[in-house]
Amino acid sequence: MTTSLPISADQIEDHNASRMEALQDEYDSLGRALGRRGVDIGALKRKVAGFSVALPTWGSGRGGTRFAKFPLAGEPTDIHEKLEDCAVVQQLSQVTPRVSPHFPWDKVSDYAALREEAASLGLGFDAVNSNTFQDQPGQTHSYRNGSLGAQDPAVRAQAVAHNVECIEIGRKLGSRALTVWVGDGSNFPGQQDLGRALDRYLESAAEIYATLPADWRMLLEHKLFEPAFYSTIISDWGSSILAAQTLGPQAQCLIDLGHHAPNVNIEQIVARLHRFGKLGGFHFNDSKYGDDDLDSGAINPHQLFLVFNELVEAELNPREGFTPAYMIDQSHNVTDPIESMLSSAESIAHAYAKAVLVDRKALHEAQGSDDVMMGFQALRQAYRTDLTPVLAMARIEAGGAADPISLYRRVRWREQKAQQRRAVGLGAGIV
């Protein structure tokens, strides 16, 4: 298939050529330092080059806060323009080869053509996402009082039908997973029976589960609160794993970094879910106060590293079916979304690379002998190591840019699109 990548190869080559001498010097110096620790920098680079994370189609536009959305000139207005912007991120970063669409936001009339369009841009499709947390124009029943767990059976049937439709769309796109997040819950004590609400959710989820193709997974995403502020049906990893175990082996749990109570040990949740074969995927972002959906690594890069330490442990000791779906899931209101996704992609890849670098033998020996300090130091040594030259070299060898954000600004992609795309209207936020 003929590809139509958004940025010319000549621009990328010129950009890389101007930086190659300095980068090679930094890479060689790092290689010598790692060599003294018994680490082959070439092997590390190859491992990093095999890592990837999906982009959300909705992440290519500005999201907003509770109070307002401030549109950006040139931001995408439909799935075709979203794919263009995601292709820019992949071309420059070379770690984001898949996109995760959200329906009905990304609905089109011809999904075979959409799949070909994405392939021409160097992209494939990851998990498909359903939306039963918003009402859509022309919708028969409202999700105001819930969806899969709603009291009204007609509402539940509508939500089930939408998820089944998403599976059918996903099959046409080449996806093999459905992500289900619902905002169902209550805002007042006494609003609903907490036990019966969960029963209704499980009954509806079972109807969706029964339609899964044999090679598909159903990823259940939990969230502590919002928009239900008193109780949420699938509020934590305990509710999620119980639901997944109830549904069957194709149901797994998806973790979002911002969907937990403050100070929760998320890396322990990763380890627990993997222990029981229910770790299905991870949505990367960062938070300071709640579900802030900030850029990955912007607030707590050490936590991101510790999460990846457990993900690498799981990768090295896989249980049946461990094929985690990794995706960026963040909202942008004051930055260019492409720049934020480029920044997050590098932060995520860097955290993964540092986790790969951990001296597992030393770590496990320290753990086995109750040597607390040396166990901590095994992690700390890897975390302190700047692997930026490894990431940059891996990007260049894959056809990406040495400094993705710098080249992105140089080609003036956003300015070009501001002249070509229709303007996005003001938004009122989500209050």
Side-chain angles (χ1 to χ4, degrees):
M1 174 180 289
T2 302
T3 57
S4 52
L5 301 180
I7 298 175
S8 75
D10 289 343
Q11 288 176 306
I12 296 177
E13 289 173 7
D14 289 346
H15 165 86
N16 290 340
S18 67
R19 289 162 170 76
M20 196 62 199
E21 183 177 354
L23 174 59
Q24 188 69 59
D25 181 62
E26 293 168 1
Y27 180 83
D28 292 342
S29 177
L30 177 60
R32 289 190 294 272
L34 291 176
R36 289 189 288 272
R37 291 157 55 177
V39 176
D40 179 351
I41 193 171
L44 178 62
K45 181 182 64 177
R46 289 189 292 273
K47 184 70 173 175
V48 170
F51 175 79
S52 64
V53 58
L55 295 172
T57 55
W58 63 94
S60 60
R62 275 201 169 163
T65 66
R66 294 186 171 282
F67 301 100
K69 172 181 176 179
F70 300 100
L72 176 71
E75 72 175 286
T77 61
D78 57 33
I79 179 59
H80 309 290
E81 293 174 354
K82 293 175 187 177
L83 289 177
E84 274 191 324
D85 285 4
C86 288
V88 171
V89 178
Q90 163 58 9
Q91 194 178 5
L92 296 179
S93 73
Q94 291 297 313
V95 294
T96 58
R98 299 174 307 282
V99 293
S100 187
H102 210 297
F103 301 105
W105 297 339
D106 295 327
K107 289 187 77 169
V108 296
S109 59
D110 188 340
Y111 291 102
L114 186 67
R115 186 175 181 178
E116 291 182 4
E117 179 183 341
S120 73
L121 292 166
L123 299 170
F125 285 98
D126 204 79
V128 293
N129 301 262
S130 59
N131 181 342
T132 62
F133 53 86
Q134 285 180 325
D135 288 348
Q136 305 298 327
Q139 184 174 305
T140 304
H141 304 285
S142 174
Y143 294 131
R144 178 179 61 253
N145 295 317
S147 59
L148 295 180
Q151 185 75 37
D152 187 340
V155 175
R156 299 198 302 273
Q158 176 181 272
V160 168
H162 169 63
N163 277 274
V164 172
E165 179 190 23
C166 288
I167 294 172
E168 292 306 310
I169 292 172
R171 294 178 69 173
K172 296 174 184 177
L173 294 177
S175 175
R176 291 195 299 172
L178 169 71
T179 296
V180 180
W181 174 74
V182 297
D184 292 28
S186 63
N187 283 287
F188 289 88
Q191 181 179 339
Q192 62 181 210
D193 184 296
L194 302 182
R196 291 191 179 94
L198 178 59
D199 287 341
R200 292 192 295 269
Y201 168 87
L202 290 172
E203 290 170 6
S204 299
E207 292 183 52
I208 301 167
Y209 183 88
T211 71
L212 287 175
D215 60 346
W216 271 56
R217 293 180 296 160
M218 184 172 172
L219 304 177
L220 308 182
E221 183 175 3
H222 64 270
K223 187 174 184 181
L224 181 66
F225 70 97
E226 192 184 51
F229 286 85
Y230 174 67
S231 72
T232 301
I233 284 185
I234 304 296
S235 58
D236 52 28
W237 76 274
S239 301
S240 182
I241 194 172
L242 288 172
Q245 289 174 332
T246 300
L247 292 173
Q250 289 175 259
Q252 293 183 309
C253 305
L254 188 146
I255 303 172
D256 184 301
L257 267 171
H259 287 191
H260 310 268
N263 304 317
V264 164
N265 189 327
I266 299 174
E267 52 269 31
Q268 180 170 279
I269 295 173
V270 171
R272 293 287 187 269
L273 291 176
H274 178 62
R275 164 62 181 80
F276 293 98
K278 288 298 185 181
L279 181 58
F282 213 101
H283 281 185
F284 295 102
N285 47 52
D286 214 334
S287 67
K288 179 68 174 177
Y289 300 107
D291 185 25
D292 306 333
D293 273 351
L294 302 175
D295 290 11
S296 297
I299 302 297
N300 195 344
H302 189 247
Q303 182 188 55
L304 184 60
F305 162 72
L306 294 176
V307 165
F308 263 113
N309 179 59
E310 296 303 327
L311 290 170
V312 169
E313 282 283 355
E315 182 182 294
L316 294 171
N317 301 281
R319 294 183 178 271
E320 185 178 354
F322 181 66
T323 53
Y326 294 150
M327 190 189 80
I328 296 172
D329 185 10
Q330 58 196 40
S331 180
H332 324 94
N333 200 37
V334 295
T335 61
D336 182 322
I338 289 179
E339 292 187 358
S340 273
M341 290 197 292
L342 285 169
S343 177
S344 289
E346 182 164 28
S347 294
I348 293 165
H350 206 163
Y352 172 74
K354 289 182 177 184
V356 170
L357 184 61
V358 170
D359 185 337
R360 297 286 155 185
K361 184 174 183 293
L363 176 63
H364 296 156
E365 286 178 353
Q367 291 170 342
S369 60
D370 289 326
D371 192 333
V372 178
M373 181 52 67
M374 294 315 295
F376 172 67
Q377 289 302 317
L379 294 181
R380 181 48 56 98
Q381 182 184 46
Y383 180 70
R384 283 196 305 240
T385 307
D386 183 1
L387 298 177
T388 301
V390 176
L391 299 178
M393 197 66 79
R395 275 197 304 272
I396 289 173
E397 291 179 2
D403 185 344
I405 293 178
S406 175
L407 180 54
Y408 170 71
R409 290 194 168 193
R410 180 180 173 186
V411 301
R412 301 180 66 81
W413 173 265
R414 186 65 68 194
E415 290 83 352
Q416 295 176 43
K417 295 303 164 182
Q419 301 300 316
Q420 300 168 6
R421 295 173 178 172
R422 63 181 175 86
V424 175
L426 295 173
I430 57 174
V431 177

